Amino acid sequence: MPASRFTQTGNYRTRYRQDQTIFATYAEQLSLIVLIGLLLLLPLILPKTMLRDVNMIMIYAVAVIGLNITTGYTGLINIGQAAFMGVGAYATALAATRWNLPFFLAIPVGGLAGALVGTFVGLPSLRLKYLYLAVATLAFQIIFEWGVGHTPLLAQGGAISLPQVQVFGVKATFFNHNFVWYYLILPVLVVMGLLWRNVLRTKHGRSLIAVRDNDRAAAAMGINPGTAKITAFMIGSFYAGIAGGLFAYFQKAVVIEDYGLHISIQLLAMAIVGGLGSLPGSFLGPLFIVALDRIVGGTSNWIGSQNLFPAGVDAATALRPLSFGLAIVLFLMFEPRGLANWWRLSRLYFKKWPYKF
């Protein structure tokens, strides 16, 4: 621990338990409290349309944390995260409509359903690696979409409406829907983030990182790589199931189009842009991609209204996927560690400021 708990002037840790602390100084604790306070006041400042985007960012952040657990921390490529979200969403919808469970019980049911399916889908990781495992998860994504489209219980991919949510006597109506759901999603995101941060401090979290770096060396140290891989899929799909349940309630219905392959690619892009194997990157990635999508959408509308291109050339529609793919390529080329590395460098700068070294 530092000599002073208010500022970190050096590394004075002498025990492993001190290395496992989340906050090294009181300044870090205070910064988290200030951040949570600002987040609690945010809905009072933002307009309703922008508040909806913030809610989407937080839901995607829960799913990206799960994807980072599988891909970033364990090194297992997963192109079916949206399918795990869909499993959680449909399980939540069935629990709410068929069993009449309240939303605070229906959403955990979706998480457990996602974890169960994820454990089964993760079995090929015992024998497959790299591109082969990626194709296996892609196959699950396709099977999920086909299975939902041919299941009458799931309305064959059609809309399944969810009941209205009421919390402490306040109903989420048309006028306060985004406002109410902001205060429902935010605690879930904070709890899920702190939960994974604490898991990383345990032997189970360290075993996932060891398997990612070198599974044979991990096995030589007594770690079971197969157990670690299955555990990563189980936890990652549990997070995706929770995100799917939140998304289903937030959208007021479950539709198969919301959990297609393009959403899996989008979640993977968020993880890459934010920084694989980084908890802050799981928040920064969705923020960047959603903000980019809104900026490009506004630019596309402006280009379409100006008639800058000849008739028949729809450049505005092509601008969104072009910018999306370009952002991924640029980050992979010039900043493979993502926005989380920028966050790390900023923290180091302010930790040493006003000194140069």
Side-chain angles (χ1 to χ4, degrees), residues 27-45:
E28 293 183 1
Q29 298 177 8
L30 180 62
S31 63
L32 178 63
I33 295 173
V34 171
L35 176 61
I36 293 177
L38 292 175
L39 290 176
L40 292 175
L41 297 176
L42 193 61
L44 306 177
I45 304 171

PDB file of all heavy atoms in Angstrom, residues 27-45:
ATOM      1  N   ALA A  27      -8.285   8.814  -3.047  1.00  0.00           N
ATOM      2  CA  ALA A  27      -8.636   9.612  -4.225  1.00  0.00           C
ATOM      3  C   ALA A  27      -9.381   8.771  -5.254  1.00  0.00           C
ATOM      4  O   ALA A  27     -10.340   9.238  -5.886  1.00  0.00           O
ATOM      5  CB  ALA A  27      -7.380  10.222  -4.842  1.00  0.00           C
ATOM      6  N   GLU A  28      -8.979   7.517  -5.426  1.00  0.00           N
ATOM      7  CA  GLU A  28      -9.672   6.636  -6.367  1.00  0.00           C
ATOM      8  C   GLU A  28     -11.080   6.321  -5.867  1.00  0.00           C
ATOM      9  O   GLU A  28     -12.025   6.252  -6.652  1.00  0.00           O
ATOM     10  CB  GLU A  28      -8.861   5.364  -6.562  1.00  0.00           C
ATOM     11  CG  GLU A  28      -7.526   5.585  -7.265  1.00  0.00           C
ATOM     12  CD  GLU A  28      -6.784   4.297  -7.501  1.00  0.00           C
ATOM     13  OE1 GLU A  28      -7.323   3.224  -7.126  1.00  0.00           O
ATOM     14  OE2 GLU A  28      -5.668   4.337  -8.044  1.00  0.00           O
ATOM     15  N   GLN A  29     -11.218   6.101  -4.560  1.00  0.00           N
ATOM     16  CA  GLN A  29     -12.553   5.866  -4.007  1.00  0.00           C
ATOM     17  C   GLN A  29     -13.448   7.089  -4.200  1.00  0.00           C
ATOM     18  O   GLN A  29     -14.619   6.963  -4.562  1.00  0.00           O
ATOM     19  CB  GLN A  29     -12.439   5.517  -2.529  1.00  0.00           C
ATOM     20  CG  GLN A  29     -11.652   4.246  -2.235  1.00  0.00           C
ATOM     21  CD  GLN A  29     -11.510   3.991  -0.755  1.00  0.00           C
ATOM     22  OE1 GLN A  29     -12.113   4.664   0.077  1.00  0.00           O
ATOM     23  NE2 GLN A  29     -10.687   3.006  -0.397  1.00  0.00           N
ATOM     24  N   LEU A  30     -12.883   8.266  -3.953  1.00  0.00           N
ATOM     25  CA  LEU A  30     -13.655   9.493  -4.117  1.00  0.00           C
ATOM     26  C   LEU A  30     -14.066   9.706  -5.562  1.00  0.00           C
ATOM     27  O   LEU A  30     -15.190  10.136  -5.849  1.00  0.00           O
ATOM     28  CB  LEU A  30     -12.836  10.688  -3.619  1.00  0.00           C
ATOM     29  CG  LEU A  30     -13.506  12.068  -3.733  1.00  0.00           C
ATOM     30  CD1 LEU A  30     -14.776  12.112  -2.890  1.00  0.00           C
ATOM     31  CD2 LEU A  30     -12.541  13.169  -3.307  1.00  0.00           C
ATOM     32  N   SER A  31     -13.168   9.379  -6.501  1.00  0.00           N
ATOM     33  CA  SER A  31     -13.501   9.547  -7.921  1.00  0.00           C
ATOM     34  C   SER A  31     -14.660   8.648  -8.329  1.00  0.00           C
ATOM     35  O   SER A  31     -15.519   9.049  -9.124  1.00  0.00           O
ATOM     36  CB  SER A  31     -12.274   9.247  -8.785  1.00  0.00           C
ATOM     37  OG  SER A  31     -11.869   7.894  -8.630  1.00  0.00           O
ATOM     38  N   LEU A  32     -14.717   7.424  -7.780  1.00  0.00           N
ATOM     39  CA  LEU A  32     -15.835   6.533  -8.094  1.00  0.00           C
ATOM     40  C   LEU A  32     -17.141   7.082  -7.528  1.00  0.00           C
ATOM     41  O   LEU A  32     -18.185   7.052  -8.192  1.00  0.00           O
ATOM     42  CB  LEU A  32     -15.558   5.138  -7.540  1.00  0.00           C
ATOM     43  CG  LEU A  32     -16.675   4.114  -7.762  1.00  0.00           C
ATOM     44  CD1 LEU A  32     -16.892   3.865  -9.248  1.00  0.00           C
ATOM     45  CD2 LEU A  32     -16.375   2.807  -7.038  1.00  0.00           C
ATOM     46  N   ILE A  33     -17.099   7.606  -6.304  1.00  0.00           N
ATOM     47  CA  ILE A  33     -18.307   8.177  -5.693  1.00  0.00           C
ATOM     48  C   ILE A  33     -18.807   9.375  -6.496  1.00  0.00           C
ATOM     49  O   ILE A  33     -20.008   9.525  -6.748  1.00  0.00           O
ATOM     50  CB  ILE A  33     -18.020   8.568  -4.234  1.00  0.00           C
ATOM     51  CG1 ILE A  33     -17.709   7.324  -3.402  1.00  0.00           C
ATOM     52  CG2 ILE A  33     -19.198   9.323  -3.635  1.00  0.00           C
ATOM     53  CD1 ILE A  33     -17.259   7.628  -1.981  1.00  0.00           C
ATOM     54  N   VAL A  34     -17.875  10.222  -6.932  1.00  0.00           N
ATOM     55  CA  VAL A  34     -18.258  11.388  -7.747  1.00  0.00           C
ATOM     56  C   VAL A  34     -18.859  10.943  -9.074  1.00  0.00           C
ATOM     57  O   VAL A  34     -19.863  11.503  -9.541  1.00  0.00           O
ATOM     58  CB  VAL A  34     -17.037  12.304  -7.967  1.00  0.00           C
ATOM     59  CG1 VAL A  34     -17.351  13.393  -8.987  1.00  0.00           C
ATOM     60  CG2 VAL A  34     -16.598  12.924  -6.646  1.00  0.00           C
ATOM     61  N   LEU A  35     -18.258   9.916  -9.696  1.00  0.00           N
ATOM     62  CA  LEU A  35     -18.771   9.412 -10.967  1.00  0.00           C
ATOM     63  C   LEU A  35     -20.185   8.874 -10.821  1.00  0.00           C
ATOM     64  O   LEU A  35     -21.061   9.173 -11.639  1.00  0.00           O
ATOM     65  CB  LEU A  35     -17.840   8.327 -11.500  1.00  0.00           C
ATOM     66  CG  LEU A  35     -18.291   7.631 -12.791  1.00  0.00           C
ATOM     67  CD1 LEU A  35     -18.404   8.636 -13.928  1.00  0.00           C
ATOM     68  CD2 LEU A  35     -17.347   6.498 -13.154  1.00  0.00           C
ATOM     69  N   ILE A  36     -20.421   8.089  -9.776  1.00  0.00           N
ATOM     70  CA  ILE A  36     -21.767   7.540  -9.566  1.00  0.00           C
ATOM     71  C   ILE A  36     -22.758   8.670  -9.296  1.00  0.00           C
ATOM     72  O   ILE A  36     -23.899   8.647  -9.776  1.00  0.00           O
ATOM     73  CB  ILE A  36     -21.753   6.523  -8.407  1.00  0.00           C
ATOM     74  CG1 ILE A  36     -20.929   5.291  -8.801  1.00  0.00           C
ATOM     75  CG2 ILE A  36     -23.165   6.116  -8.026  1.00  0.00           C
ATOM     76  CD1 ILE A  36     -20.799   4.261  -7.699  1.00  0.00           C
ATOM     77  N   GLY A  37     -22.327   9.695  -8.533  1.00  0.00           N
ATOM     78  CA  GLY A  37     -23.202  10.843  -8.308  1.00  0.00           C
ATOM     79  C   GLY A  37     -23.567  11.561  -9.587  1.00  0.00           C
ATOM     80  O   GLY A  37     -24.731  11.942  -9.794  1.00  0.00           O
ATOM     81  N   LEU A  38     -22.592  11.735 -10.483  1.00  0.00           N
ATOM     82  CA  LEU A  38     -22.875  12.374 -11.769  1.00  0.00           C
ATOM     83  C   LEU A  38     -23.819  11.531 -12.619  1.00  0.00           C
ATOM     84  O   LEU A  38     -24.699  12.056 -13.302  1.00  0.00           O
ATOM     85  CB  LEU A  38     -21.564  12.632 -12.511  1.00  0.00           C
ATOM     86  CG  LEU A  38     -20.627  13.683 -11.903  1.00  0.00           C
ATOM     87  CD1 LEU A  38     -19.323  13.749 -12.683  1.00  0.00           C
ATOM     88  CD2 LEU A  38     -21.305  15.055 -11.877  1.00  0.00           C
ATOM     89  N   LEU A  39     -23.612  10.204 -12.568  1.00  0.00           N
ATOM     90  CA  LEU A  39     -24.489   9.318 -13.336  1.00  0.00           C
ATOM     91  C   LEU A  39     -25.927   9.371 -12.814  1.00  0.00           C
ATOM     92  O   LEU A  39     -26.881   9.274 -13.592  1.00  0.00           O
ATOM     93  CB  LEU A  39     -23.954   7.892 -13.282  1.00  0.00           C
ATOM     94  CG  LEU A  39     -22.659   7.629 -14.061  1.00  0.00           C
ATOM     95  CD1 LEU A  39     -22.191   6.194 -13.831  1.00  0.00           C
ATOM     96  CD2 LEU A  39     -22.851   7.890 -15.547  1.00  0.00           C
ATOM     97  N   LEU A  40     -26.094   9.523 -11.507  1.00  0.00           N
ATOM     98  CA  LEU A  40     -27.438   9.618 -10.944  1.00  0.00           C
ATOM     99  C   LEU A  40     -28.133  10.902 -11.359  1.00  0.00           C
ATOM    100  O   LEU A  40     -29.367  10.947 -11.481  1.00  0.00           O
ATOM    101  CB  LEU A  40     -27.376   9.528  -9.422  1.00  0.00           C
ATOM    102  CG  LEU A  40     -26.964   8.169  -8.838  1.00  0.00           C
ATOM    103  CD1 LEU A  40     -26.818   8.257  -7.328  1.00  0.00           C
ATOM    104  CD2 LEU A  40     -27.980   7.093  -9.207  1.00  0.00           C
ATOM    105  N   LEU A  41     -27.359  11.958 -11.608  1.00  0.00           N
ATOM    106  CA  LEU A  41     -27.935  13.252 -12.015  1.00  0.00           C
ATOM    107  C   LEU A  41     -28.070  13.382 -13.533  1.00  0.00           C
ATOM    108  O   LEU A  41     -28.691  14.332 -14.009  1.00  0.00           O
ATOM    109  CB  LEU A  41     -27.071  14.402 -11.483  1.00  0.00           C
ATOM    110  CG  LEU A  41     -26.976  14.527  -9.958  1.00  0.00           C
ATOM    111  CD1 LEU A  41     -26.000  15.640  -9.593  1.00  0.00           C
ATOM    112  CD2 LEU A  41     -28.350  14.796  -9.353  1.00  0.00           C
ATOM    113  N   LEU A  42     -27.490  12.453 -14.273  1.00  0.00           N
ATOM    114  CA  LEU A  42     -27.454  12.581 -15.730  1.00  0.00           C
ATOM    115  C   LEU A  42     -28.834  12.670 -16.385  1.00  0.00           C
ATOM    116  O   LEU A  42     -29.036  13.487 -17.292  1.00  0.00           O
ATOM    117  CB  LEU A  42     -26.661  11.408 -16.317  1.00  0.00           C
ATOM    118  CG  LEU A  42     -26.249  11.526 -17.786  1.00  0.00           C
ATOM    119  CD1 LEU A  42     -25.346  12.734 -17.984  1.00  0.00           C
ATOM    120  CD2 LEU A  42     -25.539  10.248 -18.240  1.00  0.00           C
ATOM    121  N   PRO A  43     -29.832  11.865 -15.975  1.00  0.00           N
ATOM    122  CA  PRO A  43     -31.152  11.970 -16.625  1.00  0.00           C
ATOM    123  C   PRO A  43     -31.814  13.339 -16.459  1.00  0.00           C
ATOM    124  O   PRO A  43     -32.690  13.696 -17.254  1.00  0.00           O
ATOM    125  CB  PRO A  43     -31.972  10.876 -15.932  1.00  0.00           C
ATOM    126  CG  PRO A  43     -30.979   9.944 -15.376  1.00  0.00           C
ATOM    127  CD  PRO A  43     -29.799  10.770 -15.004  1.00  0.00           C
ATOM    128  N   LEU A  44     -31.424  14.082 -15.430  1.00  0.00           N
ATOM    129  CA  LEU A  44     -32.007  15.405 -15.227  1.00  0.00           C
ATOM    130  C   LEU A  44     -31.422  16.438 -16.175  1.00  0.00           C
ATOM    131  O   LEU A  44     -31.962  17.544 -16.301  1.00  0.00           O
ATOM    132  CB  LEU A  44     -31.783  15.854 -13.780  1.00  0.00           C
ATOM    133  CG  LEU A  44     -32.278  14.884 -12.692  1.00  0.00           C
ATOM    134  CD1 LEU A  44     -31.917  15.416 -11.313  1.00  0.00           C
ATOM    135  CD2 LEU A  44     -33.781  14.665 -12.827  1.00  0.00           C
ATOM    136  N   ILE A  45     -30.320  16.083 -16.843  1.00  0.00           N
ATOM    137  CA  ILE A  45     -29.624  17.017 -17.722  1.00  0.00           C
ATOM    138  C   ILE A  45     -29.865  16.694 -19.193  1.00  0.00           C
ATOM    139  O   ILE A  45     -30.114  17.595 -20.003  1.00  0.00           O
ATOM    140  CB  ILE A  45     -28.108  17.003 -17.423  1.00  0.00           C
ATOM    141  CG1 ILE A  45     -27.863  17.320 -15.946  1.00  0.00           C
ATOM    142  CG2 ILE A  45     -27.354  17.979 -18.310  1.00  0.00           C
ATOM    143  CD1 ILE A  45     -26.423  17.129 -15.515  1.00  0.00           C
TER     144      ILE A  45
END
